[in-house]
Amino acid sequence: MLYTFLNFFKNIGAESQRSLIIKKQILFSFLIKIISVFIGLLMVPLLIDFLDKERYGVWLTMSSIFTWFSFFDIGIGNGMRNNLTKALAANNKTLAKEYVSTTFAIVSIIFGSLLLLFQLFNPFVDWKYILNISSINDFDLYLLTSVVFSLFLLRFIFQLTGVVYIANQKPSINNALITFGSLLSFLIITLLYQFNRTGDLLILGIVLTGAPLLVLVGGTYFAFLGEFKFLKPSLAFVKFKHTKVLLNLGLQFFVIQIAAILLFSTANILITHLFNPSEVVVYSSALTYYQLPIMVFSIIMSPIWSAVTDAYAKEDFDWLKSTLKNLNKLSLFFAFGIIIMLFISQYVFKLWLGERIVIPTMLSISMALFSIINVFLAPYTAFINGIGKIKFSMYMVFLTLFFYVPLAYLFSRWTSSSAGIMFATCLLNIVGLYFQPLQVNKIINNNAHGIWNK
């Protein structure tokens, strides 16, 4: 399978340094992703057994709520990613270090302030109502949210190291940091389960947020003392004059991030209140299965964004066209694979989850459709993001934000199933299947004007 993936790139400039980097990154990322997928599949039944269906549903819903706070990075990480790639392409190391130092400073200020504010107001938040749970007392919920949220916010600062690797066209290292964090969490939870430390949400929360943070801190230390010593953040290189250029593109990414996070995290909230916390586990388990092809496809796409930024800056339009053509072939290949996954899904669920969970056929169909739409959209999203012409995408996001919740509610009532939420997501994403290819083709053929070129 991996040979098939790499073979799609044989006509996009086998002699070019950019193409060689992409192939190498795909290979490394594929090996890392195998480990990640394996861990993810094993983690679901482990956590259900470690807690129970209801408490695991509470954890999924709570962690979804916490992801909302990623809004506050205001897209500056992606702003640094594109601008850092451009600075490195121009071999301007001083400017590159200023971008990194300034971004670390801004993000530290933002999330440090958020951490302080959350700790001040958290005692007054009614978590029992928000999570629709009565079996956990108020103090335990307060302690859980205070500790987990603190670790969660700190992660946003240190995960910028991964963005530095991505900007240097080494996304496999970022993937490795994420995977090693998940592996460490899995090993610790497994040990706790063996010693009968089950049912404790606080311990689970500390492990699932603390272990990845520990890996990111270690990764940051070694990155800036080693390969990226020339980019090591320094107060002397913090130049707030770069805030505008970092945020100009970053704010547009920020709006797009809002839609992505709302589409996923709001789903768990809606399911919790329209149905019950246990249904979140059913929905999340089905999503885990159908995200597998999306995850594998992301291996291909992970080096594409920064490579597109580099190619567009150097006006290498032939490479852009060839790459897009080959990625579209891959989308068809993956769509066929997802259809096969749908036909064998009930057998896989039985083998994977046993009697713990039953995944309805309608939910499975909605997830398969979501996965197919994603693999067709992914190449165009990467091109638009890499080129930085995302204003039209930002406007489309506003429509998504406006229609998502009412559509998700209506479809859920109509189907009497959480599948309705995913059908609503699919309906909104289908719009992008027309407009994103239109914009990308205009840009790479030098025919983009007005909103298409902003």
Side-chain angles (χ1 to χ4, degrees), residues 156-181:
F156 279 100
I157 300 172
F158 292 98
Q159 71 186 19
L160 286 174
T161 303
V163 180
V164 173
Y165 276 109
I166 294 171
N168 281 271
Q169 300 186 51
K170 294 184 177 181
S172 61
I173 306 300
N174 178 59
N175 293 335
L177 291 173
I178 296 171
T179 299
F180 291 157

Side-chain angles (χ1 to χ4, degrees), residues 92-112:
N92 191 336
K93 293 184 178 180
T94 300
L95 180 61
K97 183 167 183 173
E98 288 177 356
Y99 282 149
V100 172
S101 300
T102 305
T103 302
F104 265 90
I106 294 173
V107 171
S108 297
I109 292 170
I110 291 173
F111 286 100

Side-chain angles (χ1 to χ4, degrees), residues 369 373 377 423 425-435:
L369 180 61
I373 292 171
L377 276 175
F423 279 127
T425 304
C426 291
L427 181 62
L428 292 169
N429 284 346
I430 284 173
V431 178
L433 284 177
Y434 173 76
F435 287 108

Side-chain angles (χ1 to χ4, degrees), residues 48-334:
I48 293 173
D49 291 340
F50 183 83
L51 299 172
D52 54 49
K53 235 170 113 175
E54 184 182 43
R55 285 173 179 259
Y56 182 41
V58 168
W59 167 255
L60 290 173
T61 304
M62 187 182 73
S63 57
S64 295
I65 293 171
F66 285 162
T67 60
W68 292 355
F69 288 87
S70 63
F71 292 166
F72 291 94
D73 82 335
I74 52 178
I76 194 169
N78 284 324
M80 180 187 77
R81 172 178 178 169
N82 279 32
N83 285 294
L84 178 56
T85 300
K86 292 176 183 177
L88 292 172
N91 200 32
N92 191 336
K93 293 184 178 180
T94 300
L95 180 61
K97 183 167 183 173
E98 288 177 356
Y99 282 149
V100 172
S101 300
T102 305
T103 302
F104 265 90
I106 294 173
V107 171
S108 297
I109 292 170
I110 291 173
F111 286 100
S113 301
L114 271 177
L115 178 57
L116 178 61
L117 287 173
F118 181 83
Q119 296 300 346
L120 288 174
F121 288 101
N122 192 35
F124 308 104
V125 178
D126 188 354
W127 286 106
K128 274 191 173 181
Y129 171 77
I130 294 172
L131 299 172
N132 194 25
I133 184 74
S134 58
S135 59
I136 305 176
N137 65 55
D138 291 327
F139 178 76
D140 286 344
L141 283 174
Y142 163 73
L143 188 61
L144 172 67
T145 52
S146 293
V147 173
V148 170
F149 187 72
S150 299
L151 296 172
F152 183 79
L153 284 185
L154 288 173
R155 194 168 70 189
F156 279 100
I157 300 172
F158 292 98
Q159 71 186 19
L160 286 174
T161 303
V163 180
V164 173
Y165 276 109
I166 294 171
N168 281 271
Q169 300 186 51
K170 294 184 177 181
S172 61
I173 306 300
N174 178 59
N175 293 335
L177 291 173
I178 296 171
T179 299
F180 291 157
S182 298
L183 177 60
L184 182 58
S185 297
F186 175 76
L187 293 175
I188 295 173
I189 294 296
T190 301
L191 287 174
L192 291 172
Y193 183 71
Q194 293 300 318
F195 287 100
N196 295 317
R197 294 298 303 272
T198 58
D200 196 322
L201 262 176
L202 178 59
I203 290 177
L204 177 75
I206 292 173
V207 172
L208 291 183
T209 54
L213 174 61
L214 184 63
V215 171
L216 287 173
V217 171
T220 299
Y221 177 81
F222 287 109
F224 290 122
L225 284 183
E227 182 178 6
F228 299 127
K229 189 174 183 179
F230 72 100
L231 292 175
K232 182 181 177 181
S234 168
L235 285 175
F237 282 82
V238 174
K239 306 294 182 183
F240 288 111
K241 66 180 182 181
H242 294 315
T243 302
K244 183 177 180 180
V245 70
L246 290 169
L247 291 183
N248 184 38
L249 186 60
L251 284 172
Q252 296 178 53
F253 278 119
F254 166 62
V255 175
I256 295 173
Q257 282 177 279
I258 290 177
I261 293 173
L262 283 178
L263 285 172
F264 287 99
S265 58
T266 304
N268 288 344
I269 301 293
L270 288 171
I271 293 169
T272 295
H273 285 273
L274 291 174
F275 304 100
N276 54 66
S278 297
E279 182 65 20
V280 176
V281 180
V282 177
Y283 182 90
S284 176
S285 299
L287 185 59
T288 298
Y289 175 67
Y290 285 102
Q291 275 189 323
L292 290 178
I294 297 175
M295 290 172 63
V296 175
F297 199 78
S298 71
I299 297 170
I300 311 291
M301 300 310 305
S302 57
I304 295 296
W305 178 333
S306 294
V308 166
T309 303
D310 180 76
Y312 188 73
K314 297 174 180 176
E315 299 184 351
D316 191 351
F317 291 104
D318 288 337
W319 186 89
L320 291 170
K321 292 175 184 178
S322 297
T323 301
L324 182 61
K325 181 179 178 180
N326 284 279
L327 289 173
N328 283 331
K329 291 178 183 178
L330 266 182
S331 295
L332 288 170
F333 178 81
F334 271 76

